[in-house]
């Protein structure tokens, strides 16, 4: 009989709990319904197919020691005794998560907001659900006419008025988009796009991408994506601090010879410290509201080297694998730290039921000063064919949850045109309703050199 997780707050209403409580004293929620969390994914070899989501896949191998200078990192292959075969024994159960947090602002009665699948009447909107204050980013406007008698920025709404120093159009009064409302970046073969979406009043997502070289001179690509927790203080600052710290850490560690999986683990720890430091800043106390917690965010990242793919995460942001050859199956590479994922893992609900529940987005892992315990997840994969790694927040996967759905939306030439493909994915989320911030980074995985792939 599994032991009931020791929670400090009710996963339904977030009221404090006493040690040993079986039912929440505030809402009566049965605390024994919260299952234990699954262990991390192991290193696997992707031979054109992958284990079913949630299937046991063996234990982690020992991380290899750093290679001599100039020697390449070798991913464990099928003949490597350290590489477990898919379908091996399930690792021992990890200790259950000590708490949950809703990645939505609570309603006035203290209950978490249900998933945003409908249009809220204007008089009932919460602060994070303001109507779109900038033109729809999917619509490409005609070149703007020069503002009459003035230089500087031209209004993106009326395309005629001059924008004043406060960011408003002097002609129509429209508030102009802020810098983080829509961001795009390319770095070598990696590209990322982030958009505020159609309902939130600010973008609380952030990303960081980059490229570097390993000690042997082979290239490595890095993408980090973070999603600020809306029920926390300064979620936009938390995601930005975490993405910067993580990318800087991994891009500095790889050229020094750190194993990519260890570098990813250490990058998540560095991101956690960066977010924790925000809790002590005066700006946090200034913005603290009664229903908010310390700054917090989720994180997911990917490192691609020659023949090796590393992913790391905390929370419910995800990474997917989509092969260039679409006859091979795509796969989700991460397991959410969330109430819904734990329900599915425990066999209490199927995915459709769990993610339709209003508690689906209650996350059980995050970066922040009030996180109960930092548990970075990392996993290593060895694809045997070229493909694309999609790193994204739930603002995208809410509209393409299954790997097969995401693969159908992703353009066939995504590996050759990652920026365009990232725009297509963001547009798909906006077309679906854009109820959340949307961020996606694409990292192409190159063809495996002859003799380096699995047979």
């Amino acid at each position: 009989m599994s032991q009931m997780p020791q929670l400090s707050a009710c996963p339904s209403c977030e009221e404090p709990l006493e040690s040993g409580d079986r039912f929440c004293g505030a809402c009566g929620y049965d605390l024994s319904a919260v299952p234990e969390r699954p262990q991390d994914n192991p290193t696997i070899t992707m031979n054109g197919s992958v284990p079913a989501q949630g299937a046991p896949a063996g234990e982690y191998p020992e991380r290899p020691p750093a290679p001599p200078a100039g020697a390449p990192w070798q991913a464990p292959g099928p003949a490597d005794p350290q590489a477990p075969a898919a379908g091996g024994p399930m690792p021992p159960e990890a200790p259950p998560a000590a708490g949950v947090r809703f990645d939505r602002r609570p309603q006035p009665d203290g209950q978490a907001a249900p998933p945003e699948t409908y249009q809220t009447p204007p008089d009932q909107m919460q602060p994070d659900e303001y109507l779109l204050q900038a033109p729809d980013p999917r619509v490409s406007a005609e070149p703007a006419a020069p503002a009459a008698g003035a230089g500087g920025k031209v209004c993106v709404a009326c395309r005629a008025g001059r924008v004043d120093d406060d960011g408003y159009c002097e002609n129509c009064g429209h508030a102009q988009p802020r810098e983080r409302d829509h961001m795009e970046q390319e770095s070598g073969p990696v590209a990322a796009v982030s958009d505020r979406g159609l309902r939130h009043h600010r973008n609380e997502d952030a990303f960081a991408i980059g490229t570097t070289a390993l000690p042997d001179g082979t290239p490595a690509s890095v993408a980090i994506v973070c999603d600020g927790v809306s029920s926390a203080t300064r979620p936009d600052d938390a995601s930005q601090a975490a993405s910067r710290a993580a990318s800087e850490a991994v891009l500095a560690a790889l050229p020094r010879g750190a194993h990519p999986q260890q570098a990813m683990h250490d990058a998540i720890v560095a991101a956690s410290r960066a977010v924790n430091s925000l809790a002590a800043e005066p700006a946090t106390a200034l913005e603290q509201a009664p229903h908010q917690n310390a700054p917090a965010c989720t994180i997911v990242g990917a490192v691609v080297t020659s023949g090796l793919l590393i992913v790391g995460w905390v929370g419910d942001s995800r990474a997917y694998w989509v092969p260039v050859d679409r006859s091979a199956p795509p796969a989700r590479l991460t397991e959410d730290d969330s109430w819904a994922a734990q329900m599915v893992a425990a066999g209490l609900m199927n995915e459709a039921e769990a993610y339709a529940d209003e508690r689906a987005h209650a996350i059980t892992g995050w970066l922040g000063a009030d996180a109960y315990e930092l548990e970075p997840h990392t996993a290593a994969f060895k694809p045997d064919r070229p493909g694309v790694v999609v790193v994204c927040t739930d603002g995208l996967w809410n509209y393409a949850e299954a790997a097969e759905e995401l693969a159908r939306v992703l353009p066939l030439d995504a590996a050759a045109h990652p920026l365009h493909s990232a725009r297509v994915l963001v547009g798909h989320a906006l077309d679906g309703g854009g109820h959340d911030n949307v961020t996606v980074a694409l990292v192409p995985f190159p063809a495996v050199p002859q003799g380096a792939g699995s047979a």
Side-chain angles (χ1 to χ4, degrees), residues 173-453:
H174 193 96
Q176 304 302 294
R178 288 164 290 189
E179 181 182 359
R180 286 184 65 175
D181 282 356
H182 187 86
M183 301 178 291
E184 299 184 358
Q185 186 182 348
E186 283 184 298
S187 178
V190 193
V193 176
S194 181
D195 192 89
R196 186 188 67 187
L198 306 181
R199 292 283 293 278
H200 281 233
H201 73 290
R202 66 180 175 186
N203 190 357
E204 297 170 356
D205 288 356
F207 67 80
I209 59 176
T211 57
T212 186
L214 302 182
D216 64 349
T218 57
S221 301
V222 176
I224 304 291
V225 168
C226 297
D227 183 357
V229 177
S230 294
S231 62
T233 308
R234 301 171 63 193
D236 51 336
D237 292 338
S239 62
Q240 189 168 57
S243 60
R244 286 178 177 175
S247 64
E248 290 172 0
V250 73
L251 288 172
L254 292 176
R256 294 198 300 261
H259 187 274
Q261 191 167 357
Q262 183 66 51
M264 177 60 72
H265 178 278
D266 294 345
I268 294 175
V269 173
S272 175
R273 290 172 180 160
V275 177
N276 291 353
S277 68
L278 297 178
E281 293 184 1
T284 299
L286 185 64
E287 295 186 17
Q288 189 81 38
H291 65 275
Q292 289 179 306
N293 302 290
C297 68
T298 67
I299 186 170
V300 62
V303 175
V304 167
T305 66
S306 178
L308 187 63
L309 162 60
I310 303 294
V311 294
W313 74 98
V314 173
D316 63 351
S317 293
R318 294 180 176 180
Y320 292 83
W321 162 259
V322 181
V324 170
D325 178 7
R326 297 301 172 86
S327 65
R332 174 152 60 94
L333 306 179
T334 57
E335 292 291 341
D336 299 343
D337 291 318
S338 71
W339 179 91
Q342 292 190 14
M343 283 298 191
V344 174
L348 300 177
M349 290 182 174
N350 61 39
E351 285 199 351
E353 294 171 336
Y355 285 101
D357 193 284
E358 64 179 12
R359 295 163 292 184
H361 286 273
I363 55 176
T364 57
W366 63 86
L367 304 184
D370 60 352
Y372 293 90
E373 183 178 359
L374 177 63
E375 296 183 56
H377 312 299
T378 61
F381 301 89
K382 187 184 178 185
D384 67 342
R385 63 195 66 205
V388 177
V389 185
V390 180
V391 186
C392 63
T393 61
D394 62 346
L396 171 62
W397 65 253
N398 274 330
Y399 299 97
E401 197 279 332
E404 293 76 15
E405 293 179 81
L406 191 72
R408 283 194 293 268
V409 180
L410 187 69
L412 296 175
D413 61 352
H417 301 96
L419 180 58
H420 167 74
S421 300
R423 290 169 178 160
V424 169
L425 292 178
V426 170
H428 174 76
L430 297 177
D431 288 337
H435 292 99
D436 200 354
N437 307 141
V438 189
T439 301
V440 57
L442 297 185
V443 190
F445 186 91
V448 179
Q450 289 288 337

